Amino acid sequence: MRTVPEERRLDDRKLAVLRAIVQDYVGTEEPVGSKALVDRHNLGVSSATVRNDMAVLEEEGYIHQPHTSAGRVPTDKGYRLFVDRLTEVKPMSVAERRAITNFLDHAVDLDDVVARTVRLLAQLTRQVAVVQYPSLTRSTVRHVELVPLTPTRVMLVLITDTGRVEQRIVDCPGQVGEVMLGDLRTRLNARAAGQRFAEVPTLLQDLPETFALQDRASVTTVLSTLYEALVEQTEERVVMGGTANLTRFPHDFPLTIAPVLEALEEQVVLLRLLGETADPGVMVRIGHENAYEGLNSTSVVSVGYGSGEETVAKLGVVGPTRMDYPGTMGAVRAVARYVGQILAAS
């Protein structure tokens, strides 16, 4: 039988002690002492050994003593090691999964999906929820509809693969007949449907020349309006909810939560907190890993979501560093998966 080196056994034991400290501190909000760890956890060693391990963990910067009590609390470095060594995130219960499905399935459009997702995340995690709208620049055209309003006015409706609907009113320089409008609708969709937004202008650049001379100015006007809808920066739209949840953590924000709230009001800050859209995996930023000083007492858990295989945006939560990381990561990942399924089916 192979024996585990003493150093490896010591590392595993210290990690078990750190895990126990994190779990107890998250659950009780109280600094954790060696006796409490031995009483509450099956560590298989004496209080003296736990004390020695805690001394080493403190020396290495994973825990610290907040005041003169015998207890210790995790540092940002301690939480980071805890998260990096997680073997699994906490799975959602059957009841929680059913609640997610029932709540999100009743959404009527993309705006409703985003609004419901924010409320759901805030309720599930009891943190501040942040959801980024799907980026149009990463979307494809599902359909373009042209609806006549008056002889010279048309409503253009752009529907994306993520379920987003953009509407524009087009004032044409001349009269637009229903036959011509139907022809334009057909040709537009033949070229643009299923194509990335960035590719559409090139695909449509010679379209006006395929129409009769008297219709070309109106076709060009419709296309100009379509291009404006394609390049609109909707990826900068972020919806936030559940900020009142921060008031539940007075011990985690002993001075004031004002800097946190001020940082969360900035859309650019929220986008950077969520991370790059291209990275679909669960990302955890802890305490001072956040670049904004006002958020140094918080952690951010985010993940990408999208329709099919492609990530089109991010969602996540912001809360105190004293966070149930396995549960929060599990909830964020589960909600993102359901939102992706809704977008794919929409």
Side-chain angles (χ1 to χ4, degrees):
M1 179 178 177
R2 293 179 58 189
T3 59
V4 180
E6 179 65 30
E7 183 180 350
R8 174 65 186 278
R9 286 207 303 271
L10 180 63
D11 285 345
D12 287 346
R13 194 179 68 213
K14 283 190 295 185
L15 183 59
V17 171
L18 177 63
R19 285 196 183 108
I21 292 171
V22 171
Q23 291 166 3
D24 280 10
Y25 183 58
V26 168
T28 67
E29 300 184 31
E30 297 293 333
V32 183
S34 58
K35 185 177 186 306
L37 288 179
V38 172
D39 290 344
R40 285 197 286 256
H41 299 271
N42 184 26
L43 297 173
V45 292
S46 66
S47 293
T49 300
V50 172
R51 279 196 299 275
N52 290 335
D53 287 343
M54 290 175 70
V56 174
L57 288 169
E58 185 170 13
E59 184 179 342
E60 294 179 354
Y62 294 109
I63 59 175
H64 75 102
Q65 187 175 21
H67 44 73
T68 55
S69 74
R72 302 294 188 276
V73 301
T75 61
D76 290 354
K77 183 180 177 182
Y79 284 125
R80 169 50 60 195
L81 181 61
F82 173 81
V83 169
D84 289 346
R85 295 292 186 90
L86 275 178
T87 54
E88 62 180 18
V89 300
K90 191 181 298 180
M92 305 296 289
S93 68
V94 173
E96 286 172 328
R97 290 199 301 270
R98 188 180 300 118
I100 293 173
T101 304
N102 291 341
F103 191 64
L104 294 181
D105 277 353
H106 288 87
V108 296
D109 56 23
L110 182 63
D111 290 331
D112 197 21
V113 169
V114 172
R116 284 172 177 263
T117 301
V118 167
R119 293 202 303 273
L120 180 65
L121 265 180
Q123 290 169 6
L124 283 175
T125 64
R126 305 181 78 188
Q127 316 279 6
V128 179
V130 184
V131 179
Q132 178 187 11
Y133 264 85
S135 167
L136 282 183
T137 58
R138 299 177 64 84
S139 301
T140 60
V141 174
R142 177 172 292 175
H143 183 73
V144 179
E145 186 58 54
L146 299 172
V147 182
L149 301 177
T150 72
T152 60
R153 177 171 282 193
V154 175
M155 182 170 68
L156 182 148
V157 183
L158 168 65
I159 304 171
T160 77
D161 64 324
T162 57
R164 182 150 190 81
V165 179
E166 295 287 322
Q167 297 182 355
R168 298 287 188 279
I169 300 299
V170 186
D171 288 309
C172 297
Q175 291 197 3
V176 182
E178 288 194 17
V179 174
M180 177 270 190
L181 198 62
D183 192 16
L184 177 56
R185 182 192 303 115
T186 300
R187 296 194 208 181
L188 265 177
N189 284 292
R191 296 193 184 195
Q195 302 298 325
R196 287 292 190 95
F197 282 15
E199 299 165 356
V200 170
T202 301
L203 295 171
L204 299 179
Q205 63 182 355
D206 66 339
L207 189 62
E209 298 170 13
T210 66
F211 283 82
L213 190 61
Q214 68 269 21
D215 294 327
R216 290 179 185 177
S218 294
V219 172
T220 300
T221 303
V222 170
L223 292 183
S224 296
T225 305
L226 174 62
Y227 298 156
E228 289 174 6
L230 292 175
V231 300
E232 187 179 80
Q233 298 298 307
T234 50
E235 64 267 25
E236 294 185 0
R237 290 184 62 188
V238 180
V239 179
M240 180 178 65
T243 51
N245 284 332
L246 291 177
T247 62
R248 297 175 42 249
F249 307 105
H251 298 297
D252 297 286
F253 307 106
L255 299 177
T256 174
I257 64 171
V260 177
L261 296 177
E262 289 171 6
L264 293 178
E265 286 177 359
E266 298 291 333
Q267 294 272 305
V268 174
V269 172
L270 293 178
L271 280 167
R272 289 178 180 170
L273 281 179
L274 291 176
E276 294 296 326
T277 303
D279 182 9
V282 176
M283 181 193 74
V284 181
R285 283 205 185 104
I286 299 170
H288 288 79
E289 294 173 359
N290 294 309
Y292 301 92
E293 187 176 347
L295 297 173
N296 286 166
S297 57
T298 68
S299 287
V300 181
V301 179
S302 64
V303 70
Y305 73 88
S307 56
E309 297 298 318
E310 181 157 26
T311 298
V312 296
K314 302 291 279 285
L315 58 80
V317 298
V318 182
T321 53
R322 189 186 58 81
M323 177 188 290
D324 173 15
Y325 290 98
T328 301
M329 293 165 69
V332 167
R333 194 169 65 179
V335 171
R337 186 168 61 248
Y338 280 101
V339 174
Q341 289 171 0
I342 290 172
L343 293 182
S346 64

